Each structure stands twice: as structure tokens, then as C-alpha cells.
Amino acid sequence: MNHQEEFLSNLETMKASSAVIKKRDLWYPTRPQDALLTQYHTVVQGLFLRHVIVETEDLADLAIKMYLKGGIQNHDDTHITTKGPIISDPFTSLAKDLSACHLTKDEGGKVGWIMNPYYNPLLEQRDSKISTTRSMATLSIHSNEAVHSTISEQGIEKLFQQEPKGGDVLKIQVGTNHSRWHICRIDDLLLDYNPRFVSSMDSRPSTNGLGTTLKVPNLMLNQERSTMNEDSSSDHNNNRHAQFYQIITHGCQMNMADSERLEGVLQNQLNLQPVSSSSSNPDLSLLSTSSSSSTTSSVPDVVILNTCSIRDHAEQKVYSALGPYALRKRRGESIAIVVAGCVAQQEGENLLKRVPEVDLVMGPQYVNRLGDLLQDVSRGHQIVATDPTLLSEQDLSRPIRGHKVRAWVNIIHGCNEHCTYCVVPGTRGVEQSRSMEHLLKECLDLASSGYKEITLLGQNIDAYGRDMTPKRTFADLLNYLNENIPSGTIERIRYVTSHPRYFSDRVIDAVASLDKVCECFHMPFQSGDDEILRKMRRGYSFDSYMKIIQKIRDRAPDASISGDVIVGFPGETEGAFQRTLDLMNAVRFDSVNTYTYSPRPNTEAALWENQIPEHIKDERLQIVKRLSTDHALERSKKTLGQVFQVLVEDRNPKNLAQVMGRTRQNRLVFFDGNIEDYLGKLVDVKITEARPWSLSGILIP
Ligand code: SF4
């Protein structure tokens, strides 16, 4: 059953049971563990464990509460530095103060990797050439047997029976007579590598209409290369010619961030270099030229189209973009063709049927697995990696960041909302939050590399932590990061995207009170009409949205507020559209991202009959664009004569004698200066000129 058939079948089941769609009355899993197509015990090989042993359950509950509040802050070494790994976290202080485990208490409760006693790799279903335990081998993971014994086999079994994910904190009782309680934190998972091998070198068509063989380059992970070199007297590395990649990125900040991670894998794990035309290109034109490379090649060995399916005809654009690469491959050139991102997830094996020259189709959940996948491609396999999987932090690569001053940090992947127009839940899977400790570590690494601003990313950022055990919140995370990132390093924390249904007063309080969190709210409203919002399954109304805005204006009066709107949603009447304009007039946004509704595959609203004609959608789009421009100008003019702190990001591309940066409210500001003098610096600028989408000013010494 393909995705569309599966979707329609689920929908029919839901309708047949005359279910009225309510907030939680849905047919899909909300725990990432339950979203797996195979059993947890065939996917999770092991987990990285820390534990604290206490005598009673009451003490265990108290300790977990203390941990959630930030631990016991009375150790000199609980200070977290920007140098090297985290030397401590709240769990460390718990272990030192409370744990009865003499083997681990001084190491922050660290047990290490423990293997899943139930693990069943389903070897008979696998290609014999594939090592299912490659990740173990390449990571050289060793369990400390002495420490391992502290939790006992019984404890390990109990732990895996609960099917934990990374970031969970669980309590289990171990022993019979003198049973004690273990508070277990799962720092990471070791996952089986489980793509579908659609064809292999033997079964894949070896010739084509031109009479040549389809070739793929010889790609090798660094670990395997060094193993080969140790085993061989010849210097394999020296004999290899340089290999190159090209990534073409389309879509949102999520896709941009994914491309940075893909690039990290290609450079750090496979030792590839960017071609001179590697670029982010919204039009998916394969002939664009912008370069981050010092190399001379413009011919990639690996090309990756990181696709987005949010727009109409996205699939068609991908198929036509693949054309030139497929042709090169048919002519006998050695090239690995990869389709990643949302269109890849959506189309799956269909992509291979329509363009058999494609080697790898991979969904967004497989970004960190690119190295393994490409190595199998180079062995002649054609692969589809789109099944739901859990996320793991064990990624040897680091993203190759596209900017020197600001960086994206993914805090939650996927979305559980299923708004009726949106492809994201089908393409990025269910929500999976990363642990606060891993996020802090990534931020501290960025701080030590000189970054000044981070943007926390999530499709629905307010859902952060609700998939964890125990649950955490986005406000918890903001407080944790603000407190633990040292002053003078990362100066600004931003985040996108909020959801009005889940947005909490605690987030407004965090923005109003935390020094690093910027006074800037991005709050998509999509429509001002309650009936349309209900059909979109957004879970809020005109009035409840306005209550949030009022709270923001009360608590953070200088904050900017931006939004997203969709016009021409099925059934949108003139009256409904007018209520959208009413909402915009009531809020007077600093900026609004404006979209016309476009039916997307595997979404409910695409199947409805009351679609709005294109010319009406276009008229409404022009109206909201004009109105949002008027409001933006009105808001910009209020800044005239005021002084703002600006973080300088770049040159003004239209005037090289100027630099540009942003205020904390995310307004773009230009002023005279050399980028060499100001890049990454915070400066005060007095605003002298206001336009809808940017300001100009003069530097205040
Ligand atoms: S909350 Fe956002 S990402 Fe999630 S389904 Fe709705 S529109 Fe899509």
C-alpha cells in the first residue's frame, strides 16, 4: 500500500466509525516508539545509560523532581563551560549527592552503552552483504563491564521493556530482598540501520538505451578507509582521487538545517568536497553558481536534491531537475543521485520507478545516516530509506554551517498536529524532541566556535518535550539554555515556529525576562475565521488568538509579532476572508508570510470539493500582501529616532560600503561600515530611515 492509499484507507476507517475529529481523537501514534513499522526490539540495539541508585521509591520521585528543576547546584564542578564536553549537568549533581552506586557516582552516574537483550535484527530479511551492526563497529562502542554489572541483567531487561527513547528519565526497581531504585537517564540510542534495498548490483538494470552501464562512484566512510589502510601495505588514501558533492536545497529553514547536516556527513564522514556550484537554490535550477569551495571541480560524484513539497507541482519540479543528472548517468558517467527531503518521503519508491537512475531516496529522518546509505549505494544498491525511525545523537559528523554568526539548532523533529492542509506530519514523522543536555552541548560548541545567535527550530516548537518521559516544556528549555550558556558567548536565542494552540504564558514570561531570548514572536494565524480554523484543525479561534496577542503586548510591549496566513483555503467565503483581514487589522503585524492554499498530496483538504478558484486566491493574496506591507511600514516608522542594538551579520549585498544586521526584534538594519570591522559584533544604531521590511541608521559610537 503506498502512502496515498494508506492515507485514504485510514481516513475511510475514521469516517466509517463516524469519528468526529477532535484534538486527541486521531488515528496516528504520538509516541515515536509506536510509529515504528517494525518492533522497537528489532530497531534499538542499545542505549547509553546514566543512573542514580536510591533506597526508596519516594527518594527516587524526589530525585527526579530535583533533576527536572535543575539538580542540586552546590558543587563547584556543576558549572558548565564552553570548552570540551559538558563536564556536568543536573544529573551529575544528583549522582554525586544521592547515588548509592560507588562505581558511577563520581562519573555523573555514567554506566555507558548497554545492549538490548531483546534485540532481534531479523537477519534473514537482510541483504547478506550488509552489516546490521556496522554502527557498533564504526563507533567502537565498548561497554564497561564492571559498571554494567551495577544495574544487573534484571534491571536491563526492565529498562528495555519500557521502550525508552533518548532523553527519557525512568525509574526502575532492581533486586528482590534489598531492592533499590535506579533512576535511569537515556542519553542516546544505538539504532539498527534499516533501509529498503530495492535492487542490488545483480538485479539493477546494468544497461540502458545508450548501451552503457549505470555507474556509481566508490564511496567509503573514513573509518573503513583507515581500516583498509591499516590492513593494506598500499596507501589507499593517497591513491584516491578527490571526490565532490553538490547539494541543491529547496524549502524552509528545516531543510536548510538538514542540508547543513548532510554536508557535515559528506565532508566529515566521506571526505568529499563541495563542487564549485554547490548551492541553495529555491528554483531547483541545477545550473546555479555560488560557491563555498576552494576546489576547482564543477562535476559532482554525489548530487543531492533536498526537496520541499509545500508548494504546488513540487514533485514535477523535482522530476525535471533530475533530468540532466539522469542523462549523465545514462551516458556512462559515474554519479550517485540522491533525492532527500519531503518529496522523497512522499514519493518513496515511485521516484525510482519514474527515474531509475536515482540511487537513493531518503526521508528527513535519515539525514544522519547518509554516510551508511551512500556506502551501500556505492556497492550497487538502490535504496529507499523512508520508514519511520527513531533519532539518535550518535552522529560523527558536525553540520557544515552556512553562516558564521548565526546558526540553527533543531530541538524537535516532526509534528503530531495533522493540520488538514499540511504535508509535514506525513513527511517528517511524529514529534521527537532532543534532550536538553544534548541541545546545551550543541549550543556550547557553537559558542566556542564564535557564534553569537542561535535559532531553535521545530515545526511546532511549543510541542517540545511532550514526547519525553517525564514531560518537559519549551519554556523549561529556554530557561535552561539561557541560564547555562555563558555570558559574552551566544548573545541571542530565537525560535520558530510557535503554535497558538499550545503557546503558553510561560514562554511569554521567558521572552520578557530572559536576557538572551529575543523579543520576537512568530505566531502563524493562517485565518481569522473560526469555521476555517476548525476545518484546518488548528485548535484556536479568532478570540483565543487575540488573547495571546494581548498577553504579549502586556508582558513584552516592545516585542515584534509576525505571522503566517493562507488565503483561499477550501470553503473560504468572502465573509471568512474579511475576518482574516479583521484579525490582521486588530494585530497590526510587523510582518506576515502570505500564502495561497495549494492542495498537497496525502492531505485531507486536498480531497475536498469546495476548492477556491485560482483567480480568487490570487486576488485575496494581493489584498493581504498590501495590508501586511501597510502594517509593516507603520510598525517600522515607530522605530525612527530610536537606538537599537544590532548584531552585524553580513555586507549589504546592494551596497558594499554598508553592513547589515538585525535588532533583537528581528528587524533588518543597514548602516555604513566595513564588514571586517563589524561582523559578529553588537553595535548601537540610531534609526534614520524606515521602510516596510528594513531600516537604515547611523552607528552610535
Ligand atoms: S502544526 Fe505546522 S507543521 Fe504541524 S501539521 Fe500544522 S501546519 Fe503542519
Side-chain angles (χ1 to χ4, degrees):
M1 200 185 271
N2 66 29
H3 290 308
Q4 179 81 28
E5 286 165 349
E6 193 180 349
F7 172 79
L8 289 173
S9 153
N10 284 331
L11 195 60
E12 285 314 309
T13 311
M14 186 189 70
K15 283 181 184 163
S17 63
S18 67
V20 177
I21 300 172
K22 292 181 197 152
K23 186 172 162 188
R24 285 286 160 245
D25 188 12
L26 300 170
W27 64 87
Y28 46 81
T30 51
R31 274 174 96 232
Q33 297 94 317
D34 297 337
L36 298 170
L37 296 184
T38 49
Q39 287 184 351
Y40 181 90
H41 296 133
T42 62
V43 177
V44 177
Q45 295 180 50
L47 48 83
F48 194 98
L49 178 69
R50 284 175 195 273
H51 78 158
V52 168
I53 298 179
V54 292
E55 300 297 330
T56 67
E57 186 172 14
D58 284 349
L59 258 180
D61 290 337
L62 184 65
I64 291 176
K65 267 191 201 153
M66 287 160 70
Y67 166 69
L68 295 178
K69 283 190 175 163
I72 306 163
Q73 301 294 335
N74 61 357
H75 286 286
D76 292 343
D77 62 354
T78 54
H79 176 67
I80 297 173
T81 71
T82 60
K83 294 196 181 86
I86 297 174
I87 59 166
S88 185
D89 67 26
F91 206 84
T92 301
S93 55
L94 274 189
K96 281 181 190 286
D97 273 14
L98 295 183
S99 187
C101 178
H102 66 279
L103 281 172
T104 61
K105 66 182 295 172
D106 291 333
E107 285 197 73
K110 181 174 147 192
V111 174
W113 288 100
I114 59 172
M115 304 319 295
N116 184 352
Y118 304 101
Y119 175 60
N120 170 9
L122 295 174
L123 276 170
E124 70 280 4
Q125 294 182 16
R126 300 288 167 76
D127 188 300
S128 59
K129 291 176 192 158
I130 305 304
S131 162
T132 56
T133 54
R134 176 183 302 129
S135 300
M136 281 291 290
T138 53
L139 286 173
S140 302
I141 289 164
H142 302 293
S143 174
N144 180 334
E145 288 302 323
V147 173
H148 199 251
S149 66
T150 65
I151 189 162
S152 82
E153 272 181 33
Q154 182 201 22
I156 291 170
E157 281 177 17
K158 279 191 178 178
L159 195 55
F160 278 100
Q161 278 164 7
Q162 295 192 40
E163 301 192 342
K165 65 180 271 294
D168 282 354
V169 178
L170 307 170
K171 63 173 191 194
I172 53 169
Q173 192 177 26
V174 179
T176 45
N177 294 334
H178 303 288
S179 57
R180 299 194 291 184
W181 289 85
H182 290 243
I183 303 155
C184 300
R185 191 177 79 189
I186 316 306
D187 278 3
D188 204 0
L189 296 179
L190 183 63
L191 300 172
D192 199 350
Y193 165 63
N194 193 20
R196 271 175 285 146
F197 294 91
V198 175
S199 71
S200 66
M201 194 70 96
D202 304 332
S203 61
R204 197 170 174 181
S206 59
T207 57
N208 53 63
L210 299 174
T212 53
T213 303
L214 295 181
K215 288 190 213 150
V216 284
N218 182 19
L219 301 163
M220 197 177 292
L221 290 166
N222 286 337
Q223 294 95 331
E224 300 217 354
R225 194 173 300 157
S226 50
T227 309
M228 273 188 69
N229 285 340
E230 279 168 22
D231 294 347
S232 160
S233 54
S234 70
D235 187 345
H236 187 78
N237 264 337
N238 289 342
N239 291 337
R240 287 176 68 85
H241 69 87
Q243 292 179 308
F244 298 89
Y245 68 86
Q246 180 178 24
I247 301 179
I248 298 134
T249 309
H250 190 202
C252 62
Q253 287 159 315
M254 283 283 177
N255 259 22
M256 303 279 180
D258 283 351
S259 284
E260 290 185 348
R261 290 197 291 148
L262 289 168
E263 204 156 2
V265 174
L266 291 166
Q267 290 194 24
N268 300 330
Q269 290 188 18
L270 290 156
N271 210 18
L272 268 65
Q273 300 166 43
V275 296
S276 54
S277 60
S278 186
S279 72
S280 164
N281 183 347
D283 294 319
L284 282 177
S285 159
L286 303 182
L287 301 172
S288 65
T289 53
S290 82
S291 172
S292 58
S293 168
S294 58
T295 61
T296 52
S297 176
S298 61
V299 182
D301 298 87
V302 176
V303 63
I304 301 179
L305 267 63
N306 192 7
T307 61
C308 168
S309 58
I310 215 87
R311 294 271 166 273
D312 219 355
H313 308 306
E315 309 78 40
Q316 260 48 52
K317 284 183 186 158
V318 171
Y319 284 120
S320 53
L322 283 168
Y325 293 109
L327 181 62
R328 281 171 53 182
K329 194 156 177 144
R330 284 200 300 278
R331 284 181 178 150
E333 283 184 46
S334 172
I335 180 170
I337 303 177
V338 180
V339 184
C342 293
V343 173
Q345 182 73 34
Q346 181 187 298
E347 295 288 291
E349 210 165 318
N350 282 340
L351 257 160
L352 297 187
K353 287 188 187 136
R354 286 193 52 180
V355 189
E357 293 80 9
V358 168
D359 299 285
L360 168 61
V361 178
M362 54 180 281
Q365 293 189 344
Y366 285 81
V367 167
N368 286 359
R369 292 304 178 101
L370 179 67
D372 285 337
L373 291 164
L374 276 180
Q375 190 157 359
D376 286 324
V377 162
S378 78
R379 292 174 173 143
H381 294 282
Q382 215 179 6
I383 301 171
V384 175
T386 52
D387 286 350
T389 184
L390 293 171
L391 297 179
S392 160
E393 293 284 339
Q394 45 137 328
D395 173 13
L396 296 180
S397 73
R398 293 161 57 111
I400 303 296
R401 309 274 181 183
H403 201 273
K404 289 190 170 69
V405 177
R406 53 186 158 80
W408 291 306
V409 177
N410 279 98
I411 68 162
I412 176 171
H413 298 263
C415 180
N416 291 354
E417 285 309 297
H418 291 246
C419 298
T420 54
Y421 54 85
C422 181
V423 292
V424 165
T427 56
R428 290 189 172 265
V430 299
E431 290 160 6
Q432 300 195 52
S433 306
R434 295 175 63 201
S435 77
M436 289 191 184
E437 291 77 19
H438 279 120
L439 291 169
L440 177 58
K441 177 167 185 335
E442 183 167 343
C443 292
L444 294 178
D445 286 346
L446 288 166
S448 60
S449 301
Y451 283 88
K452 296 292 180 199
E453 178 179 301
I454 53 166
T455 300
L456 308 176
L457 288 183
Q459 300 287 352
N460 171 8
I461 208 144
D462 297 295
Y464 176 81
R466 68 181 177 182
D467 57 319
M468 287 179 174
T469 307
K471 293 191 189 321
R472 313 302 297 266
T473 68
F474 180 53
D476 291 341
L477 178 68
L478 286 176
N479 280 283
Y480 179 70
L481 294 180
N482 194 77
E483 188 176 321
N484 288 300
I485 293 172
S487 300
T489 59
I490 287 169
E491 308 273 5
R492 293 179 173 186
I493 300 174
R494 301 187 188 279
Y495 60 88
V496 282
T497 299
S498 299
H499 194 309
R501 184 197 300 210
Y502 301 103
F503 193 74
S504 80
D505 293 359
R506 285 187 63 218
V507 173
I508 303 178
D509 289 341
V511 172
S513 62
L514 300 178
D515 62 327
K516 298 185 185 78
V517 181
C518 291
E519 298 78 18
C520 179
F521 295 87
H522 182 69
M523 189 73 61
F525 57 99
Q526 312 301 16
S527 171
D529 180 70
D530 288 353
E531 182 58 15
I532 294 291
L533 288 170
R534 195 184 65 75
K535 286 183 178 156
M536 288 176 164
R537 202 186 286 131
R538 291 291 290 175
Y540 53 88
S541 63
F542 184 109
D543 288 345
S544 61
Y545 186 89
M546 288 308 300
K547 273 189 192 149
I548 295 172
I549 299 299
Q550 197 50 54
K551 282 181 190 165
I552 293 172
R553 297 275 191 235
D554 289 346
R555 288 285 288 123
D558 296 332
S560 63
I561 303 178
S562 57
D564 294 346
V565 65
I566 298 172
V567 296
F569 187 77
E572 186 187 63
T573 60
E574 277 301 325
F577 177 61
Q578 184 55 49
R579 282 184 280 285
T580 294
L581 301 181
D582 292 346
L583 186 142
M584 290 174 68
N585 280 318
V587 178
R588 309 188 94 75
F589 290 93
D590 292 82
S591 69
V592 178
N593 299 321
T594 56
Y595 305 99
T596 53
Y597 169 76
S598 109
R600 306 307 304 128
N602 305 331
T603 61
E604 285 170 64
L607 306 173
W608 298 345
E609 286 170 1
N610 53 350
Q611 303 288 329
I612 304 294
E614 289 303 317
H615 72 277
I616 295 182
K617 288 187 201 170
D618 288 342
E619 279 168 21
R620 291 179 183 172
L621 181 69
Q622 296 315 316
I623 293 169
V624 292
K625 274 181 186 278
R626 278 197 296 273
L627 189 60
S628 71
T629 305
D630 290 347
H631 291 158
L633 182 59
E634 178 186 302
R635 299 280 297 167
S636 283
K637 280 184 175 169
K638 291 192 174 173
T639 64
L640 283 169
Q642 293 188 49
V643 175
F644 287 88
Q645 184 199 61
V646 171
L647 175 61
V648 179
E649 298 175 355
D650 219 329
R651 287 192 171 91
N652 177 354
K654 294 183 181 161
N655 178 357
L656 298 184
Q658 285 193 328
V659 296
M660 63 183 196
R662 285 176 193 273
T663 66
R664 286 175 65 93
Q665 294 77 11
N666 211 23
R667 290 198 181 88
L668 191 59
V669 179
F670 301 103
F671 66 92
D672 291 345
N674 290 323
I675 192 64
E676 290 77 17
D677 297 333
Y678 295 110
L679 183 66
K681 296 217 168 111
L682 287 167
V683 292
D684 288 335
V685 178
K686 184 173 182 179
I687 305 304
T688 54
E689 224 179 297
R691 296 170 293 277
W693 316 117
S694 65
L695 308 168
S696 293
I698 49 172
L699 192 66
I700 304 293

